[in-house]
Amino acid sequence: MAIEKPYLDIPGTIVFDADQARLGYHLNQFAMSLMNADNRKRFKADEDAYLDEWGMTHEQKQAVVDRDFNRLLALGGNIYFLAKIGATDGLSYVQIVSSMTENDADQHAAMMIAGGRSVDGNRYLHEWEDRP
Amino acid sequence: MSARIAAALFMSHVPAIGVASDLGKTEEPYWKPLFDGMQPARDWIAANPPDVVILVYNDHGNAFSLQMIPTFALGMAPFYEPADEGWGPRPVPTVEGHPALSAHIAQSVIPAGFDLTLVNEMTVDHGLTVPLTMMFDKPDAWPCKVVPLAVNVVQHPTPSGRRCVELGKALRAAVETFDDDIIVQIWGTGGMSHQLQGARAGLINAEFDNRFMDDMINNPEVLAEVPPVEYLREAGSEGIELVMWLIARGSMADLAGGGSPGEVHRLYHVPASNTAVGQLVLENGTVTA
Ligand SMILES: [Fe+2]
C-alpha cells in the first residue's frame, strides 16, 4: 500500500521527502561540493565538464545550467543544497528565494517587510486553480 | 547534588541575524527593533547564567551532507568549530563542549529508547551559533559550554512532535542524574513560519506562530499531537523546524508532575530576511498552583 502523503496538495511547495531525496541525491551532492572553493572555481571555469563528473540526469544538469530552481526542486533538489549554487553565483538568499516566485528580489523584500505572503488562499492546490 | 535544568529557551536561528551581528548592522533601522526586542533576554541570561546549554538545532546541509541523515545526533566532542557555509566561517568563538555530560546523556537516553547517533567530530552551522549570538552578543569566548543535539528537519519524514516531547522528558531524566552540581538550560531553536522554496516562498503566518507560542507555554501535550503536514501547510515548508522547540519544552518540570514554567520573556518579530522570529524564555517549574 502506498504511503499517504498529505503534503502533496500544498501549492507552490515541494516537500523534500525520502522519495525526492532518492531522485536528487547526486544533484544535492554536486551542490554540496560547491562549499569547497576549488570546486567552485572548477565549476565556474567549465560548468558542463564539472556537471559531467556527477551522476546526474540530463534534465538535472540542464536545470542547473538554466539556474531554474523550481525545476531543480521538482527533480529532487533541496533548497539548502541548491542555495550553494546560488551562493557560487554571488546571489543572496533573497535573490535565490524570489527567483522561484512571481516577484523580483526588491518586490520580495518589500513583501516580507509588509508581513510576508499570507497563508490565506495559499493552503491548498485547489485555491491556485485559477492562477495562470 | 546533581545537575538541574533551570530554564528552557526557544528561538529562531535565522542566518541573517548572525550576519547583521557579524557586520555590525544591529543599529540599522531594519535590525534595531529586533535586537532591542532581544535585549531583555540578554539581560535575563546575564543574571541567570547557565554552566551548560543543551542546544537543539538542525544542520542545514553544512556539517552533514545527504550521505548520512541522522534523525537525532548528539555531539560528544570537547570543541566544535563554526562551519564554513559557503561564505566563510562566522567570525564567532569556537564552541566548547561538555563531553562528560554528552556521554552521560548517551548512556541515559539510549537505554530509555531513543537511538541517538553519537558524533565525535563535527562543525556547527548557523542553527547553533546564531542562538548563541542572540543571547550573548559578541563575547571573546562563549560564556558557557554547549552540548549540541542536531535534529533532522531537512529530509522528511522528520521526527514527530510527540517523539520530540518524549525525548525532552528523557533528557530531563538524564540531566537530573548527572552527578555534578551544574546549571543546565535546554534551548529549542528554529522557525518560526517561513518558506524558502517554490512559488509559495515568503509565507508568514503570524496567527499560527502566536498560537504556537501560547500552546508552547500552556498546552505542550496538545502541541505534541500536531502532525507535520500542519506545520508545512500553515507555517511554510521550513516552519517544520518548530518541532525542535518541543524537545526543550518536554524537558520541563510540569510534564513530570512539577511546577509550571514561569514566562520571563516573549518576542515576536517579522521579518528577518525571509523568516518570522520568535523568542521565549521560560524558567523551569517556578509556578506552583
Ligand atoms: Fe534552520
Side-chain angles (χ1 to χ4, degrees):
Chain A
M1 207 175 80
I3 297 281
E4 197 196 339
K5 296 185 175 183
Y7 46 78
L8 292 180
D9 70 342
I10 304 173
T13 303
I14 292 173
V15 174
F16 186 69
D17 61 15
D19 283 322
Q20 286 299 110
R22 181 170 56 79
L23 297 178
Y25 181 67
H26 295 291
L27 165 62
N28 290 311
Q29 291 295 93
F30 144 72
M32 182 90 183
S33 77
L34 299 177
M35 287 177 75
N36 177 292
D38 289 340
N39 289 339
R40 287 198 292 271
K41 208 179 293 173
R42 287 207 297 123
F43 173 63
K44 279 200 252 187
D46 188 341
E47 293 200 4
D48 291 338
Y50 190 79
L51 288 168
D52 282 340
E53 294 173 21
W54 299 85
M56 295 159 60
T57 66
H58 175 74
E59 268 183 301
Q60 288 171 331
K61 292 182 201 172
Q62 190 58 48
V64 171
V65 171
D66 295 342
R67 303 296 194 270
D68 185 343
F69 287 105
N70 277 325
R71 186 94 192 106
L72 288 167
L73 291 169
L75 296 174
N78 171 272
I79 187 58
Y80 293 120
F81 297 98
L82 298 180
K84 299 176 195 305
I85 304 172
T88 299
D89 291 335
L91 299 181
S92 72
Y93 241 102
V94 167
Q95 288 171 308
I96 298 164
V97 168
S98 63
S99 81
M100 292 175 269
T101 72
E102 75 282 21
N103 295 320
D104 67 25
D106 288 344
Q107 291 166 329
H108 182 84
M111 177 182 80
M112 295 315 301
I113 288 171
R117 186 187 303 282
S118 172
V119 74
D120 293 331
N122 292 316
R123 288 184 173 90
Y124 295 96
L125 275 179
H126 69 77
E127 295 178 300
W128 279 28
E129 266 168 16
D130 297 335
R131 285 168 62 118
Chain B
M1 286 296 284
S2 70
R4 66 184 181 91
I5 296 173
L9 279 64
F10 310 83
M11 72 198 87
S12 309
H13 56 218
V14 188
I17 297 174
V19 175
S21 170
D22 298 344
L23 299 182
K25 293 182 171 182
T26 59
E27 290 295 314
E28 291 183 4
Y30 185 95
W31 290 109
K32 188 171 167 42
L34 174 59
F35 280 85
D36 285 353
M38 294 191 295
Q39 191 57 46
R42 288 175 167 179
D43 294 342
W44 174 86
I45 206 163
N48 299 273
D51 297 304
V52 187
V53 170
I54 299 173
L55 207 159
V56 183
Y57 74 110
N58 67 290
D59 181 71
H60 305 76
N62 293 306
F64 303 132
S65 74
L66 293 179
Q67 194 173 17
M68 282 175 269
I69 299 128
T71 296
F72 296 116
L74 184 69
M76 312 297 287
F79 295 101
Y80 308 90
E81 295 296 338
D84 181 347
E85 305 185 27
W87 293 269
R90 287 193 64 206
V92 294
T94 296
V95 176
E96 191 179 345
H98 195 306
L101 180 58
S102 293
H104 177 78
I105 290 171
Q107 292 169 148
S108 175
V109 165
I110 294 173
F114 293 87
D115 307 321
L116 306 179
T117 298
L118 307 181
V119 184
N120 284 306
E121 291 182 42
M122 67 175 180
T123 55
V124 288
D125 78 1
H126 69 265
L128 186 134
T129 61
V130 166
L132 292 172
T133 297
M134 290 168 71
M135 294 307 297
F136 298 124
D137 201 1
K138 298 171 85 161
D140 293 331
W142 298 120
C144 63
K145 296 181 177 180
V146 176
V147 171
L149 177 60
V151 181
N152 166 46
V153 289
V154 170
Q155 179 176 317
H156 292 257
T158 65
S160 67
R162 168 54 60 196
R163 188 73 174 152
C164 289
V165 167
E166 297 305 318
L167 174 56
K169 292 177 184 175
L171 286 169
R172 171 188 170 76
V175 169
E176 292 187 342
T177 54
F178 186 63
D179 286 331
D180 199 351
D181 185 16
I182 55 171
I183 293 172
V184 177
Q185 294 177 359
I186 303 198
W187 297 8
T189 74
M192 297 190 82
S193 56
H194 66 306
Q195 175 152 339
L196 302 177
Q197 55 121 339
R200 203 175 72 137
L203 185 120
I204 297 287
N205 188 342
E207 202 180 315
F208 177 96
D209 290 340
N210 281 291
R211 203 177 338 115
F212 183 87
M213 282 204 274
D214 292 343
D215 288 340
M216 184 58 52
I217 300 165
N218 299 312
N219 300 309
E221 292 284 1
V222 173
L223 216 45
E225 302 304 328
V226 172
V229 66
E230 188 160 329
Y231 293 93
L232 295 167
R233 199 185 306 283
E234 296 293 328
S237 51
E238 279 62 59
I240 187 66
E241 290 185 343
L242 285 169
V243 295
M244 294 186 289
W245 290 31
L246 285 165
I247 296 176
R249 186 63 181 84
S251 74
M252 300 193 79
D254 59 327
L255 301 187
S260 299
E263 178 186 327
V264 297
H265 170 73
R266 176 171 174 164
L267 168 73
Y268 185 70
H269 177 87
V270 177
S273 187
N274 295 289
T275 305
V277 180
Q279 192 181 42
L280 203 52
V281 176
L282 301 181
E283 289 179 335
N284 192 22
T286 55
V287 180
T288 45

